[in-house]
Amino acid sequence: MERAVAERPRARWRRAGAAVQWALALGAVAVLVLNRDRLPDPGALLAAVERADPFWLALVVAGGAGSMGAFARLQRRLLRVGGLRMSLRRAFAITYAGNALSTTLPAGPAVSVVYTFRQFRRGGAPARLATAVILAGGVITTSAYTAIGLAALLAEPRSRGPALAALAVPAAVALVAAPLLLRPGARRAAAGA
């Protein structure tokens, strides 16, 4: 009897979830129909793909797949550091689904974070670990993107001067702040602020 009562709310949630999925799918179709004049012509897209150099096209696809794979492995490793083992297949599935949500939905990045958090929780991660993995993954990838962007700016002779000038300000602040923060009183003041 108790089991039947417990199943009713689950069935309601499943029906509600299915209704939301159908509403999103129908809404996406409606948006496509209403905005068809603003979308690229499928023939032009096909022509662009046909003109693309196969080597560069393959390189871009391989680079994208490698990037997604590296991010999935990063999240998996961070979860393992926190004490949770996750299969590589599940980590890839979560990463690809989260990326799809992030790039296709309005407010996609927020939806992607919520989805990833819930998937980590379903996999057995405590809320603190799931949050820490999402935050640490974001910091690591943002740092990597920043380093790549800076390397690209410094490699280009015309942008090297402005890039170095822009980098000089935070470097000077760090050089001044580092010795000050080594003093215990300054650390307490900074932590208090």
Side-chain angles (χ1 to χ4, degrees), residues 13-67:
W13 278 109
R14 281 191 204 117
R15 282 194 303 269
V20 167
Q21 288 175 347
W22 276 105
L24 287 173
L26 292 173
V29 169
V31 167
L32 287 173
V33 169
L34 293 173
N35 292 303
R36 67 182 173 274
D37 56 332
R38 295 182 190 167
L39 297 173
D41 177 39
L45 290 175
L46 183 61
V49 170
E50 289 172 350
R51 285 192 312 264
D53 183 351
F55 171 76
W56 287 108
L57 193 58
L59 190 65
V60 166
V61 170
S67 173

Side-chain angles (χ1 to χ4, degrees), residues 5-138:
V5 172
E7 290 295 322
R8 285 184 201 146
R10 287 185 187 163
R12 278 190 220 133
W13 278 109
R14 281 191 204 117
R15 282 194 303 269
V20 167
Q21 288 175 347
W22 276 105
L24 287 173
L26 292 173
V29 169
V31 167
L32 287 173
V33 169
L34 293 173
N35 292 303
R36 67 182 173 274
D37 56 332
R38 295 182 190 167
L39 297 173
D41 177 39
L45 290 175
L46 183 61
V49 170
E50 289 172 350
R51 285 192 312 264
D53 183 351
F55 171 76
W56 287 108
L57 193 58
L59 190 65
V60 166
V61 170
S67 173
M68 293 294 290
F71 189 63
R73 285 181 174 85
L74 169 69
Q75 288 187 322
R76 182 175 179 236
R77 171 107 9 123
L78 290 170
L79 286 168
R80 186 180 298 158
V81 167
L84 178 70
R85 294 210 176 270
M86 178 179 285
S87 72
L88 188 58
R89 182 177 181 192
R90 181 159 170 78
F92 267 76
I94 292 170
T95 300
Y96 273 92
N99 186 61
L101 292 169
S102 177
T103 57
T104 57
L105 294 177
V111 174
S112 173
V113 167
V114 171
Y115 169 80
T116 303
F117 177 82
R118 288 186 177 169
Q119 291 302 312
F120 288 164
R121 294 284 288 144
R122 280 188 187 156
R128 285 177 135 181
L129 177 61
T131 303
V133 167
I134 291 170
L135 290 175

